[in-house]
Amino acid sequence: MALIVGAALLTGGVILYILLPVIQGRFASLERSEDELTESEAKKRVSLLALRDVEYDFATGKLDERDYKELKGEISREALAALREVEAESERRRGGAAAERAGGIEADIAAVREGLRTGTTCHSCGHMNADGSHFCANCGAQLPAATETPPG
Amino acid sequence: MTVLGELALWIALPVAIWGMVLAFVGGKHGRGDLVLSAERSVYAVFALLVTASAGIVAAFLGNRYEYLYVASYSNRALDTFYKASGLWAGQRGSLLFWVVLLAFFSSVAVFTNRNKNREFMPYVSGVLLTVITFFIIVLLFADVNPFEKLGFTPADGQGLNPQLQNYWMTIHPPTLYLGFTSFTVPFAFAMSALLSGRLDSRWIVVTRRWTLLSWFFLANGIIFGMRWAYQELGWGGYWFWDPVENASLLPLLTATAFLHSVMIQEKRGMLKVWNMALVTLTFSLTIFATFLTRSGLIDSVHSFAQNTKISFIFLGFLATIIGVSTVLIIHRYPQLKSETEIQSFVSRESAFLFNNLMLLAVAFAIMWGILLPLLSEGLTGEAIQVGAPFFNRVNLPIGMVLLALVGIGPVIAWRRASKRNLTKNFTIPLLVGITVVGIFAIRGSRHWMALTTFGISAFVMTVIVVEFFKGTRARARIEGEGIPRAFVHLVARNRRRWGGYIVHVGIVMIFTAFAGAAFNVKVIQTLSPGQSITLASPLGHDYTLTYEGMSSSRGRNMVWQAVALMSIDRDGRRVGSITTEKRLYETWPTPMTEVGIHSTPFEDVYVILANADDLIAGAYENDPAAQRATFEFQINPLVGWIWYGGLVLTFGALIAMWPSQGPLPEVRQTAARREAVPAAVGAD
């Protein structure tokens, strides 16, 4: 008996545990997180480390002065290019976020306009009510009849 | 508990399949809910497999001999310690143990990446669960279910092979398995990079520590196995070039190649396809090694015929891994092209490439040695035996080149190095190496292979010591720190490099120990109690061993035990005593030998009780006249350095793996630095 109960608990528990996310609609993130290095940041880091290595290689006598200078120039150029790329990327990201914010406001305004047109947006408080509402769910004011012909 | 364990194994299969499918589908269609369910499946499968393993262990501890596996590897008189390790004593249990460890590492990988590297994770879970599913299918459907019942309950089990009743044997397989299974994680990330299309070096950075961890377990697992062979098999050696040993060495070689070549991808953006190929190859070799040791294919064609099912399943899986990875690499080839090219033949990059080729050459030679007997037996019906002479002849020269590269690599700068610098950096180490060879040659040694190895080892050690010294001095000057502080910071700021150098010290010690075997002394002698033998050690002193007599005791699980006592004098001074034994175990038909080892830092005195005239009268009845016995005496120089080298290697690997606190501080170009660097060089 104990065995059957144990088996049932084990099976039930496992099924519940793995099915819950699908049933409840809980998500695992699939996006790159904010604080992760991007490809160009990684490149920047690698070239800065290479710059340090070159310095140590020179200081420990593994590089000739001529090679050291050449390599230093070469890696500095790579580091600079990576640095520019990082800046351009964060610029793009900032620009993108601003555009998104701007886009969001535009969409909000359009929704309010649409509500006013159909009569679901409350004239006294601005709350957007569900279609077919007669009174505002927020302040209780009477809404203009939805069937009313829109002005203009 | 055992029934619940079996049930858990059966439930684990659909859960693993469910998770595998959802992970791939969720990843492809960007469905976070499916991915979360898949990740939970990883944890659930782990819990279920732990329950299954607990079931097996419970069956061992509870003497449940109705289970075939328990009856085959245990008996009532067996020590509880060995009963508990019965989980990995035989094929069936160890396959379950393998997949439990894999599920453990999979859970750790999923858990530690729950908030990062999310682009990779759906496919990582998918690949991990695919491998897990494969092993569960093998367990349940390839006639190797550890829960299989006999249909009757024997009064007692058949017992565990006495040679496996040894401390080292208890930890050797788990350590090796930890190495095999943990390499699945880097492989899963590599496949995930190919599937998700994020092909920069992120997957390498993420799996860097995993690869090191896996390498560390593999290396230690192999060293533990050598230690067991040395102590338990009683022939005085530690490596037999036996197919099972060879199979475990293969992934270590390719993983070593991979550890080095990823640095080139990280630093220079090169060798992307090569790294993908190496990670796939190493993973395939871990599966291959598990397959060879656990399918019974290797012993003879008979065992192959007995269980063809498991062989075909494994070969099919291997073919699938290699096929799918190849297709993925070809599919992504345009994104895997090198960003730069090697600038100079004399550079760290090209030294690493050469090291890779050498490591693969050794791996290929060993693989050939494993496969040739099988292929020839399959084709002609007669197995061509490939033994130690073949492996030694092929691998010793390559091994020496590799050892030399351990010294050459660190001194060559990245990108390009000049002849003048090489001359400058190599002069002192080369002189040290030549001096060492010279000293041995003057003292009359003519083992040229061993002498060359000693010479190269001295060269490499000098390079490493000079590297530490110069690095510390440079840091002290550039950063304006005191020497002790500069040394600590030098290592702490680039743990992988300096930890790696410490690992190299361990490797050099191990190679030196191998070369030491050329000077082994071996004498077989029959002695009566009170008689002695004198052996000349290659280190210049004499050992006198006196046979004191034979006694008897009876250890647990044994019919009888004959113990021969031997006292040891070094140059006339008593330094200790050792015992060597013959034992007859209750469950084993032939007597086993226990060797006696007297270890010193530079050599071991190793005595084997080869034969006794009359064990019963001599040992039991304590009649000195009947105690005449034949012994094999050995002096094995430097053998202990394998174990010391293993410890050094462990220490270095831990430094390299130790998590660093946050990102490295960036290099600031201050005026002080600009002045300090030329000043440091000027002082040379």
Side-chain angles (χ1 to χ4, degrees):
Chain A
M1 185 61 200
L3 191 71
I4 296 172
V5 172
L9 279 177
L10 187 73
T11 318
V14 166
I15 292 177
L16 198 66
Y17 179 65
I18 61 170
L19 281 184
L20 265 184
V22 183
I23 298 167
Q24 295 182 331
R26 288 181 54 190
F27 293 90
S29 158
L30 299 178
E31 303 287 319
R32 198 176 297 187
S33 79
E34 283 285 313
D35 49 358
E36 248 173 73
L37 286 186
T38 63
E39 202 172 328
S40 48
E41 278 165 352
K43 264 190 196 159
K44 181 187 110 182
R45 199 180 126 102
V46 166
S47 31
L48 287 177
L49 285 176
L51 213 55
R52 189 190 69 178
D53 280 351
V54 155
E55 230 169 51
Y56 273 88
D57 280 353
F58 180 49
T60 52
K62 286 177 207 163
L63 279 173
D64 272 338
E65 189 158 3
R66 208 191 56 195
D67 280 342
Y68 165 65
K69 282 185 178 152
E70 266 180 37
L71 278 179
K72 202 170 168 185
E74 202 174 286
I75 300 170
S76 300
R77 275 195 296 283
E78 285 174 18
L80 209 63
L83 210 65
R84 288 214 181 99
E85 212 176 301
V86 171
E87 273 166 18
E89 210 170 64
S90 62
E91 194 65 33
R92 267 202 303 279
R93 216 182 300 148
R94 271 202 298 278
E100 204 174 90
R101 272 200 303 280
I105 291 169
E106 291 289 323
D108 284 352
I109 294 171
V112 172
R113 284 217 175 113
E114 175 68 12
L116 285 173
R117 194 179 62 78
T118 57
T120 53
T121 300
C122 174
H123 283 274
S124 57
C125 74
H127 183 77
M128 299 201 305
N129 292 288
D131 284 344
S133 307
H134 294 289
F135 296 94
C136 176
N138 188 43
C139 67
Q142 193 170 9
L143 296 174
T147 49
E148 213 176 71
T149 324
Chain B
M1 184 65 215
T2 308
V3 177
L4 203 64
E6 185 174 5
L7 180 76
L9 185 61
W10 280 100
I11 304 175
L13 182 64
V15 174
I17 295 175
W18 163 271
M20 170 180 79
V21 172
L22 258 67
F24 287 122
V25 173
K28 176 105 179 93
H29 298 288
R31 287 275 304 272
D33 52 343
L34 303 190
V35 174
L36 187 62
S37 175
E39 291 184 346
R40 285 188 169 197
S41 306
V42 174
Y43 302 138
V45 165
F46 173 53
L48 288 166
L49 292 173
V50 166
T51 312
S53 309
I56 291 291
V57 174
F60 266 96
L61 294 178
N63 298 321
R64 304 279 300 272
Y65 299 119
E66 69 267 34
Y67 290 100
L68 170 66
Y69 180 63
V70 180
S72 315
Y73 291 96
S74 180
N75 63 328
R76 290 183 189 277
L78 188 68
D79 203 85
T80 311
F81 179 67
Y82 295 116
K83 276 186 186 168
S85 63
L87 179 59
W88 56 83
Q91 181 197 37
R92 293 166 186 249
S94 57
L95 281 169
L96 176 61
F97 185 54
W98 208 101
V99 68
V100 173
L101 292 179
L102 176 59
F104 167 70
F105 285 126
S106 305
S107 302
V108 172
V110 169
F111 183 75
T112 51
N113 287 296
R114 65 197 181 286
N115 294 321
K116 56 185 182 188
N117 305 311
R118 297 302 310 171
E119 294 152 285
F120 292 120
M121 290 320 286
Y123 301 110
V124 170
S125 309
V127 173
L128 290 170
L129 283 167
T130 307
V131 183
I132 291 174
T133 303
F134 164 74
F135 273 94
I136 300 177
I137 288 177
V138 168
L139 276 167
L140 291 175
F141 302 109
D143 305 331
V144 289
N145 190 336
F147 293 99
E148 191 179 321
K149 283 192 173 174
L150 277 169
F152 63 100
T153 308
D156 201 356
Q158 292 164 17
L160 183 65
N161 180 342
Q163 287 184 330
L164 303 184
Q165 296 181 31
N166 175 291
Y167 170 72
W168 291 105
M169 201 52 196
T170 310
I171 59 168
H172 156 64
T175 317
L176 205 55
Y177 278 22
L178 285 170
F180 285 164
T181 48
S182 54
F183 202 85
T184 312
V185 176
F187 171 73
F189 269 92
M191 289 304 108
S192 160
L194 288 171
L195 286 165
S196 69
R198 184 172 178 193
L199 290 157
D200 56 347
S201 31
R202 181 75 194 164
W203 72 270
I204 281 180
V205 175
V206 175
T207 56
R208 190 192 281 162
R209 214 167 290 146
W210 279 102
T211 314
L212 269 171
L213 184 80
S214 165
W215 185 91
F216 162 78
F217 282 131
L218 279 175
N220 269 309
I222 290 173
I223 292 173
F224 291 163
M226 288 160 87
R227 176 74 217 191
W228 167 75
Y230 183 66
Q231 197 171 312
E232 199 58 37
L233 292 187
W235 58 284
Y238 38 78
W239 194 264
F240 201 62
W241 291 113
D242 144 301
V244 174
E245 292 168 353
N246 289 344
S248 66
L249 187 59
L250 290 173
L252 181 76
L253 292 167
T254 52
T256 311
F258 179 67
L259 273 177
H260 289 88
S261 69
V262 289
M263 279 185 255
I264 310 184
Q265 178 168 346
E266 273 182 59
K267 284 191 192 285
R268 311 281 287 120
M270 293 185 287
L271 301 184
K272 292 179 181 176
V273 174
W274 178 252
N275 284 329
M276 283 289 175
L278 272 183
V279 80
T280 308
L281 180 64
T282 307
F283 173 68
S284 308
L285 286 173
T286 63
I287 300 288
F288 180 69
T290 312
F291 160 60
L292 275 192
T293 46
R294 290 298 162 215
S295 68
L297 173 67
I298 252 172
D299 296 326
S300 80
V301 167
H302 276 296
S303 42
F304 186 48
Q306 276 165 9
N307 194 350
T308 30
K309 212 187 258 175
I310 193 168
S311 299
F312 282 117
I313 295 182
F314 261 97
L315 289 178
F317 184 57
L318 268 176
T320 313
I321 295 168
I322 295 169
V324 171
S325 332
T326 312
V327 168
L328 281 174
I329 293 175
I330 293 171
H331 172 63
R332 296 287 186 190
Y333 185 71
Q335 289 152 273
L336 288 170
K337 282 198 180 132
S338 284
E339 291 158 29
T340 43
E341 284 179 356
I342 289 191
Q343 293 180 345
S344 155
F345 177 68
V346 190
S347 62
R348 181 90 50 96
E349 294 91 308
S350 76
F352 273 1
L353 251 186
F354 195 52
N355 129 313
N356 266 233
L357 292 177
M358 291 290 117
L359 283 165
L360 283 192
V362 176
F364 181 78
I366 293 176
M367 184 64 133
W368 182 242
I370 295 176
L371 292 181
L372 191 63
L374 292 174
L375 292 177
S376 63
E377 191 167 2
L379 293 174
T380 65
E382 206 168 304
I384 297 174
Q385 290 308 321
V386 182
F390 165 80
F391 290 109
N392 285 333
R393 193 171 306 156
V394 176
N395 290 328
L396 287 187
I398 310 179
M400 292 201 301
V401 173
L402 272 169
L403 185 63
L405 277 173
V406 172
I408 294 170
V411 185
I412 304 183
W414 286 101
R415 296 180 191 230
R416 76 192 81 148
S418 67
K419 258 194 203 136
R420 204 174 68 83
N421 288 92
L422 291 187
T423 326
K424 190 169 132 195
N425 286 318
F426 283 136
T427 311
I428 295 177
L430 270 178
L431 282 178
V432 173
I434 293 168
T435 313
V436 166
V437 176
I439 291 173
F440 276 97
I442 289 168
R443 294 190 58 174
S445 175
R446 293 292 177 270
H447 287 289
W448 292 112
M449 289 289 252
L451 291 198
T452 317
T453 309
F454 288 153
I456 300 174
S457 299
F459 161 78
V460 177
M461 282 304 288
T462 316
V463 166
I464 296 173
V465 170
V466 170
E467 270 294 290
F468 269 98
F469 171 71
K470 281 186 171 176
T472 308
R473 198 178 56 174
R475 181 163 180 105
R477 285 186 186 159
I478 295 176
E479 313 288 350
E481 295 171 337
I483 294 289
R485 202 180 154 79
F487 177 76
V488 172
H489 281 171
L490 181 79
V491 176
R493 293 286 149 79
N494 200 346
R495 291 202 184 116
R496 188 161 47 144
R497 173 193 282 190
W498 300 101
Y501 287 172
I502 295 172
V503 171
H504 286 170
V505 172
I507 300 286
V508 169
M509 290 171 73
I510 291 172
F511 268 73
T512 311
F514 293 162
F519 301 94
N520 283 359
V521 174
K522 191 182 281 187
V523 179
I524 297 175
Q525 179 85 39
T526 305
L527 298 176
S528 292
Q531 287 184 318
S532 312
I533 182 174
T534 300
L535 305 165
S537 155
L539 296 177
H541 41 255
D542 285 334
Y543 280 108
T544 304
L545 289 102
T546 309
Y547 175 35
E548 303 288 357
M550 195 177 280
S551 62
S552 134
S553 65
R554 193 169 157 225
R556 188 174 173 155
N557 211 5
M558 292 172 203
V559 180
W560 52 258
Q561 187 182 17
V563 185
L565 179 67
M566 197 68 66
S567 59
I568 308 173
D569 295 273
R570 186 178 141 170
D571 291 336
R573 253 189 66 225
R574 179 64 46 98
V575 288
S577 62
I578 45 179
T579 57
T580 165
E581 305 175 17
K582 284 271 181 212
R583 294 172 176 176
L584 186 67
Y585 283 85
E586 278 169 8
T587 53
W588 212 251
T590 48
M592 312 300 291
T593 308
E594 287 289 313
V595 300
I597 306 173
H598 173 77
S599 293
T600 70
F602 290 96
E603 64 193 345
D604 278 9
V605 179
Y606 189 101
V607 185
I608 307 159
L609 174 56
N611 201 6
D613 277 6
D614 190 343
L615 279 169
I616 303 299
Y620 263 157
E621 292 158 19
N622 203 14
D623 172 13
Q627 290 180 355
R628 225 167 80 99
T630 306
F631 297 93
E632 183 174 327
F633 299 95
Q634 294 184 10
I635 295 181
N636 299 329
L638 297 179
V639 69
W641 285 31
I642 299 177
W643 333 127
Y644 308 140
L647 288 177
V648 172
L649 180 145
T650 298
F651 178 61
L654 286 177
I655 289 186
M657 276 189 285
W658 208 259
S660 56
Q661 310 103 338
L664 293 173
E666 287 176 1
V667 181
R668 288 180 307 278
Q669 276 304 315
T670 58
R673 290 179 75 90
R674 271 195 292 274
E675 280 164 22
V677 175
V681 179
D684 270 354

